[in-house]
Structures are given as structure tokens and as C-alpha cells.
Amino acid sequence: MSNEATYGFDTLQIHAGARPDPATGSRQVPIYQTTAYVFRDADHAAALFNLQEVGYIYSRLTNPTVAALQERVATLEGGAGAVCCSSGHAAQLMALFPLMTPGKNIVVSTRLYGGTVTQFSQTIKRFGWSAKFVDFDDADAVAAAIDDDTRAVFCEAVANPGGHITDLDAISAVSDAAGIPLIVDNTTATPYLCRPIEHGATLVVHSTTKYLTGNGTVMGGCVVDSGKFDWTANDKFPSLSEPEPAYHGLKFAETFGPLAFTFHGIAIGLRDLGMTMNPQAAHYTLMGIETLSLRMERHVENAVKIATWLENDPRVDYVTYAGLPSSPYNKLVPKICPKGAGALFTVAVKGGYDACIKLVDNLEIFSHVANLGDARSLIIHSASTTHRQLTAEQQEAAGAGPGIVRLSIGIEDADDLIADLDQALSKAAS
Ligand SMILES: *Cc1c(COP(=O)(O)O)cnc(C)c1O
């Protein structure tokens, strides 16, 4: 689009990345269900393989439907480029991969999605990488944890499961001073509520499985690059700054400038790790994003109503929603997520573990599932599910103790959701 810089979010969520199909005029982005693309001639093929010309070779690397989604998410986040992949977890590995080598570490928040805690505390060790978990409310502690081998700082803007907000400006000041990128998982806020790049994030990762798709249909992930990090400023990122042997000594930072990380993600990351998004998934997610702002407004409106009702209910100990004035994170809402604190929070139920189990089993509209960011309301008892593999200390640090349930508030009628919680809480208390 010619006027992309001046269009508002509601226009861009429908139009960014989507042009009428050049072959047919198809107004909606076609699902390019193909694995390969015919080369014009042998010279064209050679130019594509040498990265001298941008185009389509093979769908493990690029696909036009996926490319439309990449451009749309990059635009909504205010980034230079994006790489979509098969899941949010794949996106996290794709974000770290160009930065890391054996022996290097990342400094990460204790308040993360349970699967991410496991990925970072266990699985990445197999690559020779490690993670140091720190309380990100304390920017000095983050600074103190960074050492010469640290290659990135990682947090969630609005943290799963508690909905705690990270002061991204304070954390990016620390990562900037150390000359390393800040990676922000923006899954639970979405670019409608929070734009991490405006707060100094280098990379933004998403599980597009959640709000971006918005209806619990397909898995996906995305890595957005701000294009603002200078990979050549120090010698910490040779994959991007030094000659790449697999491409005849090409230097990504020198050749692609602000798109260096994105091109590396496609040309090396997807080529060799193969965590590719399929065009069907990209199609569903493109459809979902068209209504993102409308859904997020209703998600937030419902979450405020329901969290307020729960907080005043005698069967509830406390509610962690940052949209409530009682939350210590409430003061960060105007700065970090001015359109609202999302729709994800935890509730401590009186009666502990047993009451939580009864609550979950007696709800009728809320579904008990390991997902969030669906149009329908969801609940999960994190301690017995998503955070089950964690130690008791890790569960507490993540805000997922045994007496706590996580709610993902949907876009149904708020009064119906409150009535459902009311009847199930009565059963939980009996
Ligand atoms: C779900 C989720 C992930 C992982 O994404 P998948 O698409 O399930 O792989 C990462 N971060 C957050 C905050 C999530 O909610």
C-alpha cells in the first residue's frame, strides 16, 4: 500500500500485506497450496539461490500466503520484517538461533508461559545454551545477571498466566547498555494493545495460535524484527555480521541492512531448521487479524467487568488483572498497553487446590483447555496442567500456584460469563 505510514491500525489489519492477486485479481489472499515455484530460466534460479533476487523457490522457505501474513504482522508491530513459523515455540527458537552458539546464555523473566519456562530451563541446554531466570520487576537484577556470554534478554509484555505487565522501557535501557537485543513475547497483548518496538524491543515474537488467529483453529508463530539493532556494533553476533560460508561469504548485516535478521531467518533458519508455517494456517490467521482490534476491545471490556466482579466476591482471595486499580502493575497500563491490560489473569480461589478443581469442572460456558486468546472464554488450572512440569518454587514465581486458576476472557456476553462463574464458584465452595 502506498500510504501505509499514515493508515490507522483498523485499516492496516485488513490491508497490510494483501494486494489483489496479480494473476487472477482475487481480492482475498489466495491459499497458495504449493510446495514449489517454476523458475523463469536457469539464470533466475541461480539468482534466487544466491539471494541476489528475492522470490519464491520452495515453500519451506517462502510462500505467498505466508508472506502476506509476515508483512501484515510486521506492519502492525511497526517492524522492518517478519518470519512466520510453525508455532509460537518455534518462533522463540527462530528468534534465538541467529544470536546463540554453545556456551552462550539468555537472561529471561521468571514470569513466562509455562511451556517457555520448560523450553528455556531444560530443552535449550541440549544446544549448549542456558537461561538465567530473573524477576523483571527489578531492572537492576536484570542488569546484574547479564554477563559477557549473554546474547539476549527475553520477557513477555503482558505475562502469562498472571497478566503482569513488564516495564519494557526500563528493560530495554538495560539491554541497550549491554549491547544485546531485547526479545519481547507479545502474544497476550497483541500489537493492538502493546507495541514493544516503541519501547525499545529489538525482536517481537508471537504465538499466532492465540489472539492473532483468535478462534483456536491453527498453530503458528512469528518473529518480527524492528530492523533497528546494529549487529555489527560489537563482535557478539557473527552469524549476522561475519561472512556466511553457506552463501559464499555473504554478510547478512552488510547486504540486507535492517532486513538482515529477517533474511537470515528465512535463508538459514527456515532452510535448515524447517519450522515452516503452512499456507492454510497463514490463511486462517490473516482472516483472524482482520478483526483483531474489534475483538481486543471486547476482550478488554469483558475482562475489566469480570475481574472487578471476581475481586469483590467473598469466595475469591485475589485477582491479578493489571487492569484493576488494586494491581501493582496498574500504573504501567497507560505507558505499556494504553488500550487495556489484555484479557488474561489469574484468580486465587478460597479453598485452594480442591476448590479450583471443582470450579473448573463445573463451569459451563468456560472451556477447560490449554489455550488462550480464543473468542470463547477459557479456564485452566495451571498447576495441574501447563505449569505441572515446574517445581513448586517455579510455579509460585510464575504466578501459577496450586490454589490459582487462569482465565482467558472471551468476547461472549459478560453477564453470561459472570453468571457461569457465580454458579461454579458456589459449587466450588460447597
Ligand atoms: C502459547 C504461548 C506460547 C507458545 O506458542 P505455541 O503456538 O503454543 O507454540 C508462547 N508464549 C506465550 C505467551 C503463549 O501464550
Side-chain angles (χ1 to χ4, degrees):
M1 280 190 302
S2 52
N3 295 326
E4 216 155 78
T6 59
Y7 287 138
F9 193 97
D10 290 354
T11 304
L12 294 172
Q13 72 185 357
I14 295 169
H15 292 285
R19 296 155 200 88
D21 179 51
T24 62
S26 166
R27 177 60 274 202
Q28 195 43 281
V29 179
I31 304 172
Y32 286 89
Q33 198 67 61
T34 184
T35 47
Y37 308 84
V38 180
F39 305 121
R40 286 195 304 271
D41 52 34
D43 284 345
H44 177 222
L48 290 173
F49 275 91
N50 278 342
L51 298 183
Q52 284 156 342
E53 189 178 328
V54 178
Y56 296 103
I57 300 175
Y58 186 60
S59 284
R60 176 161 20 88
L61 308 172
T62 43
N63 171 282
T65 316
V66 178
L69 176 60
Q70 287 170 166
E71 190 176 332
R72 186 167 304 173
V73 180
T75 303
L76 295 179
E77 286 287 3
V83 181
C84 283
C85 27
S86 50
S87 69
H89 259 22
Q92 293 175 179
L93 288 182
M94 286 281 293
L96 292 176
F97 178 64
L99 313 176
M100 304 293 282
T101 50
K104 305 304 179 208
N105 69 68
I106 51 178
V107 170
V108 310
S109 172
T110 46
R111 279 180 293 273
L112 296 174
Y113 168 66
T116 304
V117 175
T118 311
Q119 188 186 52
F120 288 171
S121 63
Q122 308 293 334
T123 306
I124 64 169
K125 284 188 197 157
R126 308 243 181 150
F127 308 140
W129 312 346
S130 60
K132 301 186 200 180
F133 288 82
V134 181
D135 180 356
F136 270 47
D137 287 349
D138 183 352
D140 293 337
V142 176
I146 294 173
D147 63 31
D148 288 345
D149 288 324
T150 306
R151 290 295 176 269
V153 172
F154 186 103
C155 63
E156 293 174 6
V158 175
N160 179 355
H164 303 303
I165 296 174
T166 308
D167 186 346
L168 300 178
D169 300 277
I171 301 298
S172 67
V174 170
S175 58
D176 279 352
I180 54 176
L182 169 62
I183 307 174
V184 175
D185 182 342
N186 200 28
T187 299
T188 58
T190 80
Y192 183 66
L193 300 180
C194 174
R195 306 239 302 171
I197 291 170
E198 290 171 5
H199 301 282
T202 307
L203 304 172
V204 177
V205 293
H206 276 281
S207 166
T208 60
T209 315
K210 313 290 171 53
Y211 292 102
L212 294 186
T213 305
N215 41 38
T217 44
V218 288
M219 302 295 303
C222 190
V223 185
V224 181
D225 178 21
S226 64
K228 291 181 178 160
F229 195 88
D230 182 1
W231 305 107
T232 62
N234 54 41
D235 59 4
K236 291 183 173 171
F237 305 103
S239 300
L240 294 153
S241 61
E242 296 298 311
E244 169 57 48
Y247 283 105
H248 310 299
L250 172 145
K251 295 181 184 172
F252 278 89
E254 190 181 280
T255 309
F256 299 112
L259 283 169
F261 197 91
T262 301
F263 271 87
H264 191 280
I266 293 167
I268 309 275
L270 290 180
R271 187 196 64 183
D272 296 344
L273 301 178
M275 301 188 283
T276 306
M277 178 181 277
N278 69 75
Q280 286 276 352
H283 167 75
Y284 279 106
T285 306
L286 282 165
M287 294 300 97
I289 292 177
E290 292 191 348
T291 57
L292 181 64
S293 63
L294 308 179
R295 288 185 287 110
M296 293 317 291
E297 273 169 15
R298 175 65 76 85
H299 278 295
V300 168
E301 190 187 314
N302 280 357
V304 170
K305 277 188 199 158
I306 291 162
T308 305
W309 179 83
L310 282 166
E311 185 172 52
N312 291 309
D313 192 282
R315 295 162 293 188
V316 165
D317 258 335
Y318 62 85
V319 179
T320 61
Y321 187 48
L324 293 173
S326 59
S327 164
Y329 298 92
N330 190 249
K331 60 180 188 306
L332 287 171
V333 173
K335 182 168 83 161
I336 303 295
C337 38
K339 294 202 185 83
L344 187 77
F345 54 84
T346 54
V347 181
V349 182
K350 284 194 183 136
Y353 190 94
D354 294 339
C356 287
I357 299 288
K358 278 194 205 159
L359 170 66
V360 164
D361 281 346
N362 282 292
L363 283 162
E364 284 165 14
I365 301 175
F366 281 81
S367 305
H368 183 202
V369 300
N371 192 19
L372 62 91
D374 195 317
R376 65 214 87 235
S377 292
L378 312 174
I379 188 167
I380 195 154
H381 183 232
S382 304
S384 62
T385 54
T386 50
H387 289 62
R388 191 184 185 93
Q389 269 89 32
L390 274 54
T391 63
E393 297 77 53
Q394 283 176 319
Q395 285 181 352
E396 289 297 339
I404 289 169
V405 288
R406 184 192 75 191
L407 303 187
S408 170
I409 303 298
I411 57 177
E412 304 101 327
D413 287 294
D415 291 343
D416 291 339
L417 297 174
I418 289 174
D420 193 26
L421 287 164
D422 190 26
Q423 63 80 20
L425 278 169
S426 296
K427 288 180 184 140
S430 66

